[in-house]
Amino acid sequence: MGKRDKKRREWLARKGDHERRALYQRAARLRKAAAEPARRRRKGPSFGEDEEGGFERLGRRRSGSLEEWVERLRAEEAPGSGAPQEPELVEATTDGTVIWLGPGRARVLLDAGGELECLLCPEIAVTQRSDLAVGDRVAVSETEEVARVEAVLARRTALSRLDPGGGRPIERVIAANVDAVVVVVATRTPPLRRRLVDRFLVAVERGGARPILCLAKIDLLESEPALDELLETLGPYRELGIPVLACSSVSGRGLPELRAALAGRTCVLVGQSGVGKSSLLNALDPRLGLETREISQSVGKGRHTTTASELLRLEGDIRVIDTPGIREFGLFDLTREELRWYFHEFDAPAQSCRFGDCSHVHEPDCGVREAVAAGGVAEARYDSYQRLLASIPEASR
């Protein structure tokens, strides 16, 4: 019997029958969660270059035996909760960046070099969706038996949305510490949803990052005039100073411009399922080999290929957080009064509104509505504003 096994058995012997049973039940739940695929299946290797410049294969994580998970629980038990334990900390707390997240665990790229599989401390694990995201800077402790994320450090930026689970409103953080958010839309399949784009843009500005709009799958258009017509409908975004890039992962058109926009930055790609985010990333760096799937022909909607967010490193010093596709995007904790400040084309005409707190919907002498009627403000953007305003719960107004 090894020293570690002996310590675990002595520790368990001090527990009552009910407490031991609860420990094994908890260990079984953690083991089951760890047995889930840690990453989506890939055609090729995954994140992290080895010493020869290739990518290390990570694949499915080994879940370990039930006794190993009981041992993790023993290692995590705070000193003083049972018999005195020997100090096991062999490394001081170090900082790093979360590059992958799973239930109760994370993979961290350490500032000192190397990657580390970590459990989450209980305080973070219970609020994981709200308090931790890929891209977060974290403090990690490491013992002989377990590494653990102990704290989430201050963020520069964040992209978040209303958790779609319903019930009490909860903020779900999608990505942290990104310089740019690339909102990917498709030409046809799935169809372009302007109001979803506008929701993304509000969330991006609230989080402090820079938006980029990427029109993908332009190879599906029949002609150049068709592309010009579609780009013209996106003109209001260009007028707001938002870069609009037209790209094809098949022909390569627009990829140099996209690569230049992302170089040297940490970015996140967001958009509906099936818009082609993984295909774009494969085209930017074929070594990634991300799995892609066709659009469902029966419903015309994208199928989820990316199942978890993760940070990828691409050629050209590009760091991209790839996220699962999103069909609905609710805005968390946004009030009626705040919404109008995120539609910047309203700023100038709003100066002529009769009322300083004009909602631009029903008040008389509204400068914004007059600008819409005169063509100075895009009608489609104003329609998005009205629909977003109507979607805000009365309690938030």
Side-chain angles (χ1 to χ4, degrees):
M1 182 188 301
K3 179 180 178 182
R4 187 179 302 175
D5 292 336
K6 181 179 179 181
K7 290 170 66 175
R8 182 174 65 254
R9 293 191 180 186
E10 291 175 348
W11 175 70
L12 288 170
R14 295 193 293 270
K15 308 287 185 183
D17 290 342
H18 177 77
E19 192 174 2
R20 280 197 298 270
R21 184 162 54 251
L23 282 167
Y24 272 93
Q25 288 173 344
R26 184 183 173 198
R29 288 194 299 269
L30 291 171
R31 181 175 182 268
K32 180 179 179 181
E36 295 297 323
R39 299 177 181 269
R40 64 183 176 281
R41 294 188 178 184
R42 296 176 176 268
K43 295 177 183 176
S46 56
F47 180 91
E49 292 188 338
D50 60 26
E51 293 179 354
E52 298 178 355
F55 279 76
E56 62 175 332
R57 296 179 181 270
L58 298 177
R60 178 188 291 267
R61 288 186 175 85
R62 177 176 173 270
S63 59
S65 68
L66 187 60
E67 292 298 331
E68 287 175 338
W69 283 95
V70 171
E71 175 62 26
R72 292 192 182 197
L73 295 178
R74 183 194 70 81
E76 288 186 355
E77 185 173 276
S81 57
Q85 299 183 14
E86 299 175 15
E88 295 182 311
L89 194 63
V90 296
E91 250 184 59
T93 300
T94 187
D95 294 346
T97 301
V98 175
I99 60 174
W100 181 88
L101 270 177
R105 63 195 193 280
R107 190 168 184 84
V108 178
L109 179 64
L110 300 178
D111 292 354
E115 299 175 13
L116 196 60
E117 296 281 351
C118 302
L119 297 178
L120 306 182
C121 72
E123 293 80 8
I124 295 175
V126 297
T127 58
Q128 179 176 338
R129 287 190 171 186
S130 297
D131 293 344
L132 188 62
V134 173
D136 262 321
R137 301 276 301 154
V138 293
V140 174
S141 67
E142 187 178 3
T143 70
E144 292 177 352
E145 290 127 348
V146 66
R148 186 165 66 174
V149 173
E150 301 287 357
V152 182
L153 307 181
R155 292 172 177 147
R156 293 187 296 109
T157 64
L159 178 68
S160 66
R161 65 165 170 157
L162 181 68
D163 191 284
R168 181 174 62 88
I170 298 174
E171 181 181 25
R172 183 169 183 177
V173 183
I174 298 172
N177 297 315
V178 294
D179 303 303
V181 177
V182 183
V183 181
V184 183
V185 297
T187 54
R188 287 185 175 175
T189 51
L192 173 61
R193 292 173 56 190
R194 293 278 298 271
R195 288 191 292 275
L196 179 60
V197 172
D198 292 332
R199 287 176 179 268
F200 275 126
L201 295 181
V202 172
V204 172
E205 184 170 350
R206 294 183 83 198
R210 175 195 179 200
I212 298 173
L213 187 57
C214 179
L215 177 63
K217 300 186 178 181
I218 60 174
D219 51 280
L220 297 181
L221 296 173
E222 300 92 345
S223 64
E224 196 69 19
L227 174 59
D228 293 339
E229 182 179 350
L230 187 53
L231 287 174
E232 186 176 351
T233 68
L234 302 177
Y237 300 113
R238 278 203 177 98
E239 293 174 4
L240 292 170
I242 299 171
V244 179
L245 307 176
C247 299
S248 169
S249 58
V250 176
S251 69
R253 181 175 174 179
L255 293 181
E257 292 80 4
L258 179 59
R259 185 177 289 108
L262 304 184
R265 294 186 172 97
T266 299
C267 317
V268 57
L269 265 62
V270 296
Q272 291 175 260
S273 303
V275 294
K277 298 188 301 295
S278 295
S279 295
L280 282 174
L281 292 176
N282 283 337
L284 288 172
D285 192 337
R287 298 178 304 167
L288 294 175
L290 304 180
E291 181 178 326
T292 61
R293 296 177 66 180
E294 296 298 324
I295 294 292
S296 170
Q297 297 301 316
S298 61
V299 296
K301 294 181 178 179
R303 301 173 180 175
H304 288 278
T305 301
T306 303
T307 57
S309 298
E310 63 178 319
L311 180 65
L312 306 169
R313 290 183 296 181
L314 281 63
E315 292 178 340
D317 190 26
I318 299 172
R319 299 168 297 280
V320 175
I321 298 175
D322 188 21
T323 63
I326 295 172
R327 291 178 180 166
E328 300 296 332
F329 190 90
L331 297 168
F332 176 76
D333 197 27
L334 180 69
T335 68
R336 180 190 182 103
E337 291 73 20
E338 292 171 340
L339 176 64
R340 61 179 181 265
W341 303 120
Y342 294 105
F343 283 75
H344 293 289
E345 57 267 66
F346 295 178
D347 294 348
Q351 298 301 313
S352 60
C353 290
R354 179 192 294 186
F355 303 103
D357 61 348
C358 183
S359 69
H360 313 314
V361 174
H362 57 79
E363 296 88 348
D365 299 326
C366 172
V368 171
R369 292 208 310 278
E370 291 173 0
V372 173
V377 170
E379 188 172 346
R381 281 279 289 173
Y382 179 69
D383 181 63
S384 282
Y385 168 76
Q386 287 184 300
R387 291 174 180 267
L388 276 171
L389 191 67
S391 71
I392 298 176
E394 289 291 336
S396 298
R397 299 186 181 187

